[in-house]
Amino acid sequence: MGEISVLDSNIEHMVRMAILHIIQLGTKHGVFKVISRGATQREVLDSLDIPNKKLLLEFLNTLKAIGIVEERDGRLKLNGFSYRLDVPKNHYEALLPGWVAVLEEIYRMVDYAFITPTHPHVLMDFDKDADFWDIRMNTDFAALYREVIAKTGGIDQGSSVLDLGCGSVSPYEFGKRIGYDGLYVGVDYSPAILEIARARVEGESLPVELKELDLKLLRPVNEYQTTVMSFIFEYLKPEDYRRVLRRALGTLRPGGSLIILEPFRDNFRHIEALEFFERLNKDFKRFPAMSEVASLIADEGFDASIKRLGRSLLKVTLKP
Amino acid sequence: MDTMIIDPQVLRSIHRSELRKRILLYLSEIYPSATYLSEIARIVGSDPSNVRGALVGLGNRYNGESSLVYLGLVEEVSNNGFKYYRLTEYGKKVVEYLREYYRYYRKFM
Ligand SMILES: C[S@@+](CC[C@H](N)C(=O)[O-])C[C@H]1O[C@@H](n2cnc3c(N)ncnc32)[C@H](O)[C@@H]1O
């Protein structure tokens, strides 16, 4: 199996496992029990002993989006949802254990978030919990997607790369790959994440520059051969996509390419299950659709080719 | 390696406790060798009963649950009636993370 399809099947499995955990949460917190009595949404919210009503409401919306629950005549109903979690031989060999351990931690955080969103066991804030994020970006799964990004974007010895929302691990990993005669510029708005990134890079004399900046304020400079946006669109409001894409493409020199990696919502059914967990991070918005990103780029009138690679990767290349 | 989960709460609590941190750093310096409790106490400049507390827990200062042996970071080895302490593989990984997060914890915690 090629690396891109391994990436896709891991994301697919993340979504499938997330559904299972949604069902587990609904059972554990008595949500299904109340719903099975034919309650209204209001009644479900009021009768359950869950202090964080906002999260509970999000949970109900997730159940509806996945199709576990539907609203008819003002009442919520369980609609006999069933889905399969396949363990086919060829896929299973490709599954990476690292993300499972991390997502398991996140499933557990929901119980505490149901009490209060600021509970100390909820570790999803980029600044306050940069350590957890760093651990998350250090898994075998992250190593795989970085490999895929590097190969797709031609990131190698001597490359010049701009990484938007770089996190704390990519600067070191890509920096090593690029070597001393290249340039890697990482942009991130979290000072805590950048502090960890710096600690990794320092003393290694890598060609890495790190800038604390909201990527929405980026200046187009026409300098880079490759610009990377990996797991970033999910933190942007859809109304900002156009502006951000225009600026991101504006950072490239002719012939350069923009690599976008996301679990695109139009390619992964029931992605709302995974979104429920990711939303424990207050900056998370939603996963973008591949079609919406691709058509915005086409709209902007850049002379560029757009390649859809598998289900989670877009490569946009400017005319040389 | 990737299935050995590193718990940020454990990292943070060790970062906040000077003695446990110093013990780990010393054991990582001599890794993979083991050493006696009294030797550790001498090096980290603390008295043996505190060091015992940090390693295996006693009294209320270091209850067993946050002790380094209980957390799987240090192992106790008995040999000829003597007890030695050695950093585990897992403990080694935790020390690496503590080093990488040192400045972040100083500034943001
Ligand atoms: C899920 S991490 C992904 C990190 C890295 N791109 C990777 O794939 O390993 C998201 C990162 O984007 C950063 N981020 C999110 N929104 C941002 C924005 N508007 N401007 C700059 N950085 C942002 C966060 O601080 C975080 O480090």
Side-chain angles (χ1 to χ4, degrees), chain A residues 32-41 43-44 72-78:
Chain A
F32 294 145
K33 198 168 166 183
V34 186
I35 292 179
S36 66
R37 293 188 205 124
T40 64
Q41 180 150 302
E43 283 164 358
V44 177
R72 237 185 297 140
D73 310 323
R75 301 201 165 265
L76 297 183
K77 298 221 161 63
L78 290 167

Side-chain angles (χ1 to χ4, degrees), chain A residues 235-292:
Chain A
Y235 302 101
L236 297 172
K237 292 191 200 121
E239 59 264 37
D240 289 331
Y241 288 1
R242 181 185 291 275
R243 181 162 54 117
V244 167
L245 281 167
R246 194 189 308 138
R247 292 184 184 219
L249 286 165
T251 62
L252 292 171
R253 58 169 86 132
S257 37
L258 170 66
I259 308 293
I260 301 174
L261 176 61
E262 278 295 335
F264 288 111
R265 62 185 315 106
D266 40 354
N267 297 337
F268 295 94
R269 188 156 179 244
H270 300 321
I271 189 96
E272 295 88 351
L274 189 57
E275 287 182 320
F276 174 74
F277 295 101
E278 297 293 350
R279 210 165 277 128
L280 293 181
N281 173 311
K282 64 178 178 354
D283 295 333
F284 183 89
K285 306 292 184 309
R286 75 198 242 291
F287 291 115
M290 191 181 241
S291 57
E292 105 193 280

Side-chain angles (χ1 to χ4, degrees), chain A residues 127 129 131 134 195 200, chain B residues 12 100-101 103 105 107:
Chain A
D127 285 326
D129 309 305
D131 46 1
D134 181 72
E195 190 66 56
R200 283 241 165 73
Chain B
R12 293 174 192 184
E100 284 175 342
Y101 296 167
R103 272 203 331 235
Y105 284 153
K107 279 198 189 168

Side-chain angles (χ1 to χ4, degrees), chain A residues 97 101 120-121 123 127-132 134-135 138-140 191-192 195-196 198-200 202, chain B residues 1-9 11-12 93 96-97 99-105 107-109:
Chain A
H121 287 347
L123 304 179
D127 285 326
K128 202 169 61 55
D129 309 305
D131 46 1
F132 180 72
D134 181 72
I135 288 165
N138 229 335
T139 58
D140 47 7
E195 190 66 56
I196 296 177
R198 282 201 190 93
R200 283 241 165 73
E202 254 169 30
Chain B
M1 147 209 144
D2 276 305
T3 42
M4 269 205 298
I5 187 79
I6 304 285
D7 182 352
Q9 311 273 24
L11 294 179
R12 293 174 192 184
K93 208 168 163 195
E96 270 166 41
Y97 273 106
R99 286 211 175 95
E100 284 175 342
Y101 296 167
Y102 183 75
R103 272 203 331 235
Y104 160 62
Y105 284 153
K107 279 198 189 168
F108 291 86
M109 253 178 31

